[in-house]
Amino acid sequence: MEMESCVPPGFRFHPTEEELMGYYLKRKINSLKIDLDVIVDIDLYRIEPWDIQDRCRLGYEEQSEWYFFSHKDKKYPTGMRTNKATAAGFWKATERDKAVLSKNRIIGMRKTLVFYKGRAPNGRKSDWIMHEY
Amino acid sequence: MEMESCVPPGFRFHPTEEELMGYYLKRKINSLKIDLDVIVDIDLYRIEPWDIQDRCRLGYEEQSEWYFFSHKDKKYPTGMRTNKATAAGFWKATERDKAVLSKNRIIGMRKTLVFYKGRAPNGRKSDWIMHEY
């Protein structure tokens, strides 16, 4: 994504969790205009973690974090369980849920997921970590 | 300085040295318009390092680096030596000069200075460091 034309030189996208939830996610959910399209839509279950970086790259800098929107895919049409499998593996939630605060008020939760290569209940844990807001 | 109105949420000013010299300093020298006035003018010899932060603050975040423009003050009207003293101390150059590159071409030099409290040749070294481009 080419940003030089919109944001003055020297600015980098380093959002706080409050900005991610309170601005970007909130406006996305409400179909409101987002100032600058820095967070792209992907289908998380049709893309492997190592391919996400190319889709979500901002400018030409080295990045170690990428931002995206993705719909939740229901495992069964009537259930609440979500399908977190890709072709190569699956995302598994950890117990490390965290509240996101704005002005001392909880505005949402952050869930941490780890990518495992292979199929549950087996699979080899990888270094790919995702925060779901 | 209030920036929320100009730059989309989540963006922070973390310029590279190439951007500082190739865009901000170059345009300043040539009196060209700078997209966003994030780098303020100060008179380095009339302000103590610990007072710079208030003048150069951006938004409401914790900062450990501040950016500013300042004219060089000649020690003697006819000489090349610059005066680097403030009321409380002085800036002393180190030997750690570094070239700043853009596309493998040197576009300028970075000089590193340390602030000493007191008067040269005495003075107590402080933790304040300045990069002069």
Side-chain angles (χ1 to χ4, degrees), chain B residues 18-29:
Chain B
E18 186 183 342
E19 288 168 329
L20 282 175
M21 295 201 76
Y23 179 81
Y24 289 97
L25 184 57
K26 191 173 167 193
R27 294 188 78 87
K28 183 74 175 178
I29 291 167

Side-chain angles (χ1 to χ4, degrees), chain A:
Chain A
M1 185 177 296
E2 181 60 81
M3 296 196 305
E4 278 72 11
S5 51
C6 324
V7 175
F11 284 84
R12 306 278 175 273
F13 190 53
H14 292 306
T16 62
E17 299 193 313
E18 187 182 341
E19 287 168 329
L20 282 176
M21 294 202 76
Y23 179 81
Y24 288 96
L25 184 56
K26 191 172 166 193
R27 294 188 78 86
K28 183 73 174 177
I29 291 168
N30 294 311
S31 304
L32 294 171
K33 198 183 163 299
I34 290 173
D35 276 1
L36 190 63
D37 237 2
V38 279
I39 304 186
V40 301
D41 287 293
I42 67 167
D43 182 346
L44 190 60
Y45 311 105
R46 289 171 195 274
I47 191 168
E48 306 305 333
W50 45 88
D51 293 327
I52 290 176
Q53 12 184 349
D54 272 339
R55 290 286 309 283
C56 303
R57 194 179 301 284
L58 297 171
Y60 303 102
E61 313 263 316
E62 282 282 309
Q63 282 175 259
S64 57
E65 292 186 341
W66 298 268
Y67 298 93
F68 55 86
F69 293 118
S70 179
H71 275 284
K72 278 198 170 187
D73 201 9
K74 290 233 172 69
K75 194 161 185 150
Y76 306 106
T78 53
M80 287 295 288
R81 287 178 62 194
T82 53
N83 178 22
K84 297 225 158 43
T86 70
F90 58 95
W91 290 99
K92 187 168 182 277
T94 67
E95 307 286 294
R96 283 174 276 149
D97 291 7
K98 199 192 99 174
V100 176
L101 302 178
S102 176
K103 295 170 187 133
N104 295 316
R105 212 169 46 84
I106 294 177
I107 56 167
M109 296 298 292
R110 183 187 85 181
K111 192 181 269 299
T112 300
L113 300 100
V114 178
F115 190 77
Y116 288 74
K117 288 180 189 170
R119 280 287 161 255
N122 303 310
R124 218 169 57 255
K125 195 174 177 175
S126 76
D127 290 335
W128 293 98
I129 286 178
M130 174 167 64
H131 287 154
E132 180 185 287
Y133 295 95

